[in-house]
Amino acid sequence: MKVDVWSDIACPWCYIGKRKFEQAVAQSGIPVQVEYHAFELAPDLPQDFEGSEQDYLEIRGFSADQVRPLLARIVGAASEVGLHFDYDILLHTNMNKGHQLIRWAKTQERQLDMVERLLAAHFEEGRHVGRDEDLADLAAELGLDREGALAALRDDRHVDDVQADQARARQLGIQGVPFYVFEGQYGVSGAQDPSTFADVLRQLVEQKGEEVA
């Protein structure tokens, strides 16, 4: 079964949703082919944002009193699926280059590994995921060709692919992420419970007349 996922590296719920979806696939026993697509929540963000998570959220319209419980809720939700978010060390950046790296990794048949690596680097390790050199280092950590990744990033080789992903999101009416499209026809928004994702997978398999493992 094909599942297309629109996601942003900067989106905490995308990482949480990724874990929940993976749990659903394991629970259902249904094999899926997952492809990630770029969605930038803050395309106007500079490469090096000077400020904390609270500064960033206040710029986005949240008050100081709203930020603390919001972050606590996100960290708690992440912990429930085995993730360890650290907003004290998180570095905000423009994610276009990161999305380009994900597209490059797809040409190396390692897209899913790269998505996971970037999300972990951003939310758990405080790594910079917006600069060419830093991103090439992350590619190398996966055993990929660092110089090949760096050349692709410096040339903006996959910038058109990133733009095409976002144009497709607009066509589909996607306004927030994560957003999952099953078999090109059935959309699910948000970091749903694993049982919800599993039910969707089973229903679609039943519609196709296939056996569930």
Side-chain angles (χ1 to χ4, degrees), residues 183-203:
E183 293 289 274
Q185 60 182 350
Y186 189 85
V188 175
S189 177
Q192 301 292 334
D193 287 336
S195 60
T196 300
F197 285 130
D199 286 345
V200 172
L201 290 168
R202 294 189 186 100
Q203 290 170 13

Side-chain angles (χ1 to χ4, degrees), residues 41-60:
L41 292 168
D44 56 341
L45 205 64
Q47 187 178 73
D48 293 293
F49 175 81
E50 299 295 335
S52 66
E53 177 70 11
Q54 179 153 332
D55 296 327
Y56 171 74
L57 289 174
E58 287 181 11
I59 290 173
R60 304 296 290 184

Side-chain angles (χ1 to χ4, degrees), residues 63-187:
S63 70
D65 289 338
Q66 291 174 316
V67 170
R68 286 185 290 275
L70 172 61
L71 293 182
R73 183 166 70 93
I74 293 172
V75 170
S79 179
E80 289 176 0
V81 293
L83 299 174
H84 306 285
F85 286 7
D86 191 341
Y87 280 107
D88 290 334
I89 61 173
L90 183 145
L91 300 174
H92 279 292
T93 184
N94 187 291
M95 293 298 179
N96 188 273
K97 286 285 190 173
H99 284 299
Q100 289 188 50
L101 184 64
I102 289 170
R103 293 295 299 197
W104 176 80
K106 181 184 174 185
T107 70
Q108 311 298 305
E109 300 183 349
R110 297 289 299 279
Q111 188 196 41
L112 298 185
D113 293 331
M114 187 58 71
V115 169
E116 176 67 26
R117 188 69 198 93
L118 286 170
L119 288 168
H122 181 58
F123 283 106
E124 299 186 308
E125 301 168 19
R127 302 279 291 273
H128 200 300
V129 295
R131 294 189 295 243
D132 293 351
E133 295 280 349
D134 297 273
L135 289 167
D137 288 343
L138 291 171
E141 289 174 16
L142 292 178
L144 295 170
D145 178 15
R146 185 184 188 280
E147 293 307 311
L150 188 58
L153 291 167
R154 286 176 171 169
D155 293 343
D156 282 330
R157 192 177 305 163
H158 295 284
V159 69
D160 290 343
D161 296 322
V162 171
Q163 292 173 351
D165 277 349
Q166 299 188 96
R168 180 58 177 156
R170 290 190 292 271
Q171 291 175 351
L172 293 173
I174 297 172
Q175 298 180 333
V177 286
F179 195 93
Y180 302 79
V181 178
F182 295 78
E183 293 289 274
Q185 60 182 350
Y186 189 85

